[in-house]
Amino acid sequence: MLVRMTDRGIVVDAASVDAASPGRSVDADTPPEDVAAAGLPSAEPLVIRFASAGDGRGFTLARLLRTRWSYTGALRASGAIQVDQLFFLRRCGFDEFELPAQVDAETVRASLLRFQAAYQPVVNDPAVLRDWSSGGPE
Amino acid sequence: MYRYDSVDQAIVDQRVAEFRDQTERYLRGELSEDAFRPLRLLNGLYYQRYAPMLRIAVPYGVVSAGQVRTLAHVARIYDRGVGHVTTRQNLQLNHPRVEDVPDILAELARVEMHAIQTSGNCVRNVTTDPMAGVAPDEIADPRPYCELIRQWATLHPEFLHLPRKFKIAVSGAVHDRATVRVHDVGLRIVENEVGERGFEVWAGGGLGRLPILSQRVRAFLPEAELLTYLEALLRVYNREGRRDNKHKARIKVLVKARGIEDFREAVEREYRQGRDTRLRLDPARIEAVHQAFAPPAYADEAVDDDSIPLEAPKAFSEGQRRRWRYWLERNVSAHRVRGYRAVYIALKGVERPPGDVTADELERVADWAERYSFGEVRTTYQQNLVLPDVRRRDLPALFEELESAGLAEPTIGLLTDPICCPGFDYCSLANAHSIPVARALQERFADLDHVYDLGDLRLNISGCMNACGHHHTAQIGLLGVEKQGRSWYQIQIGGADGDAPALGKVLGPAVPAEDVVPAVERVVEHYLAQRREGESFRSTFQRIGLGSFRDALAEHA
Ligand code: SF4
């Protein structure tokens, strides 16, 4: 299943991922410098493959590509990711997610929309965000 | 005390809803054991040896009377009426049912509490000095900074899957009561030459299999940069910490392998490159959080109290008078405001597993906090409680109440105030029992005059080399080891926490359980025989050395 964040909202495509554009693919533990040096794609998605759901390097990689290298194309998480991580992956800059076919679409939506507030300015921040750089109310 | 605003409350409430959904999917069989594991761990839910355990966060050890009542309530309704104070100042329930945990978290959320990130490979509960805000030697109150770090670290999307757990401690005083040198990151509040406030940043300390003291990364970090700098440091660790071997995954291994110079350079480079200015703390934001911890309304007339002699209650027997005097000496601590004192409640004693507190006791503590201490309670890393703001003239009345409730053990900082991990009674990783050893020592050293004579003497117990009982930083540390399927104990001596931390040294071959108490006795006797007038265990050890203790023990072998 391929889940995409689009202008029209969350699009869940039950078709197998092979049918979608495969894009360029890197492992989650690749240093962002190396990914950037090899050239960032402009049309196809950049796919970050997680060998394990607990590999936090993929989260840093996504955030840095978005912020330090200003990557604006599609960024897809694939591999061992879990549906309960979607909100946090999205926060780090991912906007496409490959998930096993049996995952329930409602669970996907619930996970992506789980929190309406956050403390950290990162990439895709929810509407209510803690403001650290002023003394005023949120 | 800090009160939640709408952002804090929304995040905690939505977290409860998320975990309720995850738990329901797990119970329906939609989430496997393996898939549920990291989700429950990030919410403080462990599966231990015999039952699940829920670790409730007590951020930097500060809790209100109302929150203490809720803790009593959940301990009574959802567990067996007992809570357990941990070395990260949290409170554990040792037998909740998994299906009840979402309800427990919902009850906690109603009083601005949670169990977020009390386990798992993420930033854990930030700890601090239990005397924060009341210590006479304080440079600045560390609690506002702990709260800022708590918020920043909570559900930080980039740092929920670190190589391993990450523990931060903050000290705001001249003397370190937060053990900053044995933390992944330790922060000490300092002022620079021109009187600006900032932090001295230490990294790479820890106990466990590789006990090591942290090294200094930065002498002065301006307070506005607290979160931007932590973010850079965490990113270096997240990217470069080892993930191939969980015993080598803590930041201390990275700092040691790279060397402090190289590690510092990596952090500074990341800090210069990657700073998100939105995380820079505005002075008004810092001030607002400081306001949340503004001092309570101390009575002006209390300043005159200090000159009035404190009398023991008239009805006291001679034995009670002696306990009262000891209690004043050990459990009552200086306060920055004249006429006030901070009072320790020891959760130790023959009948009490170290750190345990019953629901009934928690309710009484809440009452005392309201009547005597402006409604606030602290937990300590030594697994005790503190009432931080007690008027000095109330001490006799408070002592009487504590005494009648069995909570006036006058033993803070003495041999019978051990830090002790749960060990074999609860923990699946244990090699040995810890709690029964603590009990045996309590029985042997029940004579108050004797433990008083020994003076400051920390004895800590860990059931395995993970060192949750901080045995390395005790003057006498006991470590459970397994030998041919049986529990033995290694004895280490000479460790210390505080301003001049040190790691204990192994005294000799491990001893079987029945020989632990006699071995501790011999160590103590040797100290008594060797000490000079007024000399502490630690000073004596530093003067005569490990060899002298070894020889003394060998003579008896
Ligand atoms: S020191 Fe070992 S036995 Fe004790 S709680 Fe920690 S892991 Fe368990």
Side-chain angles (χ1 to χ4, degrees):
Chain A
M1 159 193 303
L2 183 65
V3 179
R4 285 180 299 133
M5 309 301 296
T6 73
D7 296 343
R8 290 165 293 127
I10 302 165
V11 175
V12 179
D13 187 350
S16 86
V17 175
D18 295 343
S21 155
R24 194 176 133 223
S25 156
V26 297
D27 290 329
D29 61 354
T30 316
E33 294 79 5
D34 296 359
V35 178
L40 294 166
S42 49
E44 306 160 334
L46 176 64
V47 182
I48 296 179
R49 271 192 317 257
F50 285 77
S52 96
D55 191 345
R57 289 171 293 194
F59 292 74
T60 289
L61 174 58
R63 181 178 179 188
L64 290 183
L65 290 177
R66 287 294 192 208
T67 54
R68 201 166 293 172
W69 280 275
S70 307
Y71 176 61
T72 53
L75 194 53
R76 184 184 300 174
S78 81
I81 58 160
Q82 301 285 318
V83 67
D84 290 283
Q85 293 176 302
L86 294 185
F87 176 81
F88 303 103
L89 288 163
R90 163 112 179 105
R91 291 267 282 127
C92 287
F94 288 101
D95 47 16
E96 297 189 3
F97 312 92
E98 270 178 48
L99 291 165
Q102 69 274 17
V103 175
D104 171 50
E106 268 324 296
T107 309
V108 168
R109 284 203 177 81
S111 177
L112 276 166
L113 303 173
R114 182 62 75 189
F115 294 91
Q116 277 87 58
Y119 291 118
Q120 314 80 4
V122 187
V123 182
N124 292 304
D125 301 324
V128 182
L129 187 68
R130 169 68 84 235
D131 183 358
W132 305 92
S133 57
S134 84
E138 265 56 51
Chain B
M1 255 185 86
Y2 182 80
R3 299 298 313 265
Y4 279 8
D5 64 14
S6 59
V7 176
D8 301 305
Q9 192 66 51
I11 289 171
V12 166
D13 288 343
Q14 288 159 22
R15 181 62 158 185
V16 174
E18 178 189 47
F19 193 62
R20 190 179 294 284
D21 173 49
Q22 291 167 343
T23 306
E24 282 167 4
R25 278 153 55 214
Y26 165 69
L27 294 172
R28 283 199 303 266
E30 292 167 25
L31 271 177
S32 68
E33 237 10 288
D34 278 351
F36 186 54
R37 188 170 177 278
L39 305 177
R40 65 173 162 78
L41 285 180
L42 283 169
N43 288 285
L45 180 60
Y46 281 76
Y47 289 174
Q48 296 202 122
R49 183 175 291 275
Y50 303 110
M53 175 270 278
L54 179 67
R55 187 179 291 148
I56 299 165
V58 180
Y60 37 94
V62 177
V63 62
S64 71
Q67 290 173 327
V68 170
R69 286 206 182 85
T70 296
L71 292 172
H73 165 77
V74 297
R76 186 178 290 129
I77 302 298
Y78 300 101
D79 206 309
R80 300 179 188 171
V82 181
H84 174 77
V85 175
T86 77
T87 55
R88 288 214 74 64
Q89 302 181 290
N90 290 322
L91 191 100
Q92 285 181 192
L93 300 179
N94 277 319
H95 328 77
R97 299 185 324 158
V98 175
E99 53 272 41
D100 288 339
V101 171
D103 290 340
I104 299 175
L105 297 179
E107 298 224 27
L108 293 172
R110 277 199 278 279
V111 293
E112 304 178 8
M113 297 191 86
H114 61 77
I116 298 170
Q117 290 169 219
T118 54
S119 58
N121 296 331
C122 54
V123 179
R124 302 289 189 89
N125 188 30
V126 181
T127 51
T128 192
D129 183 352
M131 294 292 134
V134 305
D137 67 336
E138 196 158 86
I139 300 159
D141 190 342
R143 292 172 298 170
Y145 303 100
C146 293
E147 174 58 27
L148 290 164
I149 297 169
R150 180 193 78 80
Q151 295 182 19
W152 162 79
T154 297
L155 306 186
H156 194 305
E158 189 181 346
F159 302 132
L160 289 177
H161 304 284
L162 298 170
R164 200 74 179 86
K165 58 187 164 186
F166 202 91
K167 300 178 180 177
I168 300 175
V170 186
S171 166
V174 172
H175 298 293
D176 175 18
R177 287 173 291 266
T179 68
V180 297
R181 297 286 309 280
V182 294
H183 277 79
D184 295 294
V185 160
L187 300 167
R188 296 200 69 165
I189 297 176
V190 289
E191 281 179 357
N192 67 7
E193 327 66 72
V194 294
E196 290 161 346
R197 189 180 295 162
F199 301 92
E200 192 178 67
V201 183
W202 297 74
L207 301 175
R209 286 160 200 260
L210 176 75
I212 190 166
L213 298 175
S214 59
Q215 301 184 71
R216 200 167 75 175
V217 184
R218 214 179 214 260
F220 186 81
L221 175 72
E223 62 175 347
E225 301 293 332
L226 174 64
L227 303 182
T228 48
Y229 198 80
L230 283 176
E231 196 150 292
L233 192 149
L234 261 291
R235 182 172 298 142
V236 169
Y237 171 55
N238 195 37
R239 286 185 59 180
E240 299 184 23
R242 285 181 61 173
R243 291 172 188 265
D244 57 323
N245 177 343
K246 79 173 213 180
H247 300 309
K248 302 221 159 103
R250 296 286 289 270
I251 196 174
K252 60 191 172 184
V253 177
L254 177 67
V255 173
K256 190 160 181 271
R258 288 190 69 149
I260 186 65
E261 302 294 331
D262 196 35
F263 175 77
R264 175 185 302 124
E265 185 41 42
V267 173
E268 293 285 333
R269 198 181 322 121
E270 180 60 42
Y271 172 61
R272 286 191 301 270
Q273 254 185 352
R275 214 169 338 174
D276 188 324
T277 50
R278 292 176 297 171
L279 261 188
R280 209 176 261 155
L281 296 169
D282 185 87
R285 166 68 54 195
I286 297 173
E287 181 50 32
V289 184
H290 272 284
Q291 279 306 319
F293 295 96
Y298 296 118
D300 291 338
E301 62 277 17
V303 296
D304 302 326
D305 291 3
D306 280 352
S307 52
I308 303 163
L310 272 182
E311 300 285 347
K314 295 267 179 300
F316 271 15
S317 66
E318 193 36 52
Q320 281 172 312
R321 277 167 203 278
R322 196 169 50 112
R323 285 173 63 81
W324 156 252
R325 282 194 304 273
Y326 282 150
W327 181 81
L328 280 180
E329 194 184 318
R330 299 304 317 195
N331 293 37
V332 177
S333 191
H335 198 289
R336 67 178 181 80
V337 176
R338 277 172 64 196
Y340 284 85
R341 298 290 184 272
V343 172
Y344 282 91
I345 300 175
L347 300 178
K348 309 290 163 68
V350 177
E351 300 300 331
R352 183 189 300 275
D356 273 17
V357 57
T358 67
D360 292 350
E361 288 170 339
L362 284 170
E363 279 170 354
R364 302 207 59 180
V365 168
D367 291 345
W368 295 323
E370 274 169 352
R371 276 170 32 227
Y372 297 113
S373 186
F374 297 97
E376 190 175 315
V377 181
R378 308 281 175 88
T379 52
T380 80
Y381 105 93
Q382 295 95 340
Q383 303 177 284
N384 296 313
L385 301 175
V386 171
L387 298 175
D389 293 299
V390 179
R391 196 162 167 185
R392 179 174 172 273
R393 69 165 189 197
D394 289 337
L395 290 173
L398 176 59
F399 175 76
E400 266 194 287
E401 296 204 47
L402 288 165
E403 185 80 334
S404 73
L407 285 166
E409 278 298 287
T411 51
I412 294 296
L414 299 175
L415 178 69
T416 43
D417 176 23
I419 296 174
C420 176
C421 84
F424 211 83
D425 290 273
Y426 299 100
C427 176
S428 335
L429 305 171
N431 288 326
H433 283 288
S434 316
I435 296 168
V437 174
R439 186 188 168 102
L441 284 161
Q442 295 281 2
E443 282 169 349
R444 169 57 190 86
F445 290 93
D447 177 2
L448 267 184
D449 295 323
H450 183 46
V451 284
Y452 263 81
D453 185 34
L454 298 175
D456 288 331
L457 209 180
R458 173 145 294 291
L459 180 150
N460 294 345
I461 310 168
S462 301
C464 80
M465 67 203 298
N466 289 322
C468 303
H470 295 224
H471 64 277
H472 298 109
T473 48
Q475 278 86 56
I476 302 177
L478 304 177
L479 163 66
V481 293
E482 195 200 295
K483 266 185 158 182
Q484 285 126 26
R486 291 190 49 214
S487 296
W488 289 57
Y489 295 85
Q490 191 188 76
I491 300 170
Q492 305 185 357
I493 61 170
D497 57 11
D499 292 332
L503 302 169
K505 299 199 171 79
V506 178
L507 186 60
V511 299
E514 60 274 20
D515 291 348
V516 172
V517 171
V520 170
E521 281 180 313
R522 283 198 290 279
V523 168
V524 162
E525 277 160 23
H526 188 60
Y527 156 62
L528 287 177
Q530 296 294 319
R531 78 171 166 191
R532 292 175 176 163
E533 180 71 29
E535 198 178 40
S536 68
F537 184 97
R538 176 147 202 234
S539 306
T540 306
F541 174 83
Q542 283 170 331
R543 180 171 54 79
I544 67 177
L546 180 68
S548 175
F549 281 91
R550 274 198 178 146
D551 294 346
L553 216 67
E555 272 172 39
H556 289 79

